């Protein structure tokens, strides 16, 4: 029974990583964005991103990612409503550029 519970927990974690809405912690480091001049900035910590967000620095169209393996997507797509930016787990793009497919 314990093994079955562990397998279910592992399955839930995998589903959360795939972006299925489970309460997975927001990545604590590796945050990058592309500034208005086209330069990649970062990586930054989650705390830095939370502070800058609270100051209103991130526009919804700002290209951003939380892992260097991901492609950049607009900030508003990483945290669509009702997700809370830098508190909820971001809606990361699907690997291989298939973000529009579910």
């Amino acid at each position: 029974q314990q093994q079955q519970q562990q397998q279910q927990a592992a399955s839930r974690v995998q589903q959360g990583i795939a972006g299925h809405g489970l309460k997975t912690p927001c990545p604590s480091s590796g945050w990058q964005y592309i500034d208005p001049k086209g330069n990649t900035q970062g990586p930054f910590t989650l705390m830095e991103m939370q502070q800058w967000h609270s100051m209103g620095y991130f526009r919804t169209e700002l290209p951003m990612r939380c892992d260097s393996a991901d492609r950049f997507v607009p900030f508003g797509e990483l945290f669509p409503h009702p997700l809370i930016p830098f508190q909820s787990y971001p809606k990361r793009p699907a690997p291989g550029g298939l973000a529009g497919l579910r």
Side-chain angles (χ1 to χ4, degrees):
Q1 185 179 13
Q2 184 178 7
Q3 185 178 7
Q4 185 180 8
Q5 289 173 340
Q6 288 174 341
Q7 287 174 340
Q8 288 173 345
S11 176
R12 285 193 297 269
V13 167
Q14 288 174 343
Q15 289 174 356
I17 290 170
H20 291 290
L22 283 153
K23 295 196 177 201
T24 306
C26 202
S28 62
S29 61
W31 290 91
Q32 295 178 297
Y33 65 88
I34 299 176
D35 69 22
K37 294 183 179 178
N39 299 310
T40 299
Q41 302 293 332
F44 299 108
T45 66
L46 178 60
M47 288 184 68
E48 288 173 303
M49 299 300 277
Q50 287 171 332
Q51 184 175 17
W52 294 329
H53 175 65
S54 72
M55 299 170 147
Y57 288 176
F58 302 130
R59 299 173 63 110
T60 57
E61 67 275 6
L62 185 75
M64 190 176 287
R65 64 184 178 186
C66 61
D67 188 299
S68 60
D70 292 350
R71 60 185 172 80
F72 287 95
V73 295
F75 173 61
E77 289 181 23
L78 270 180
F79 296 106
H81 183 78
L83 298 184
I84 302 166
F86 308 110
Q87 292 181 33
S88 302
Y89 191 79
K91 185 174 180 175
R92 293 172 63 182
L98 302 175
L101 301 179
R102 293 183 181 183

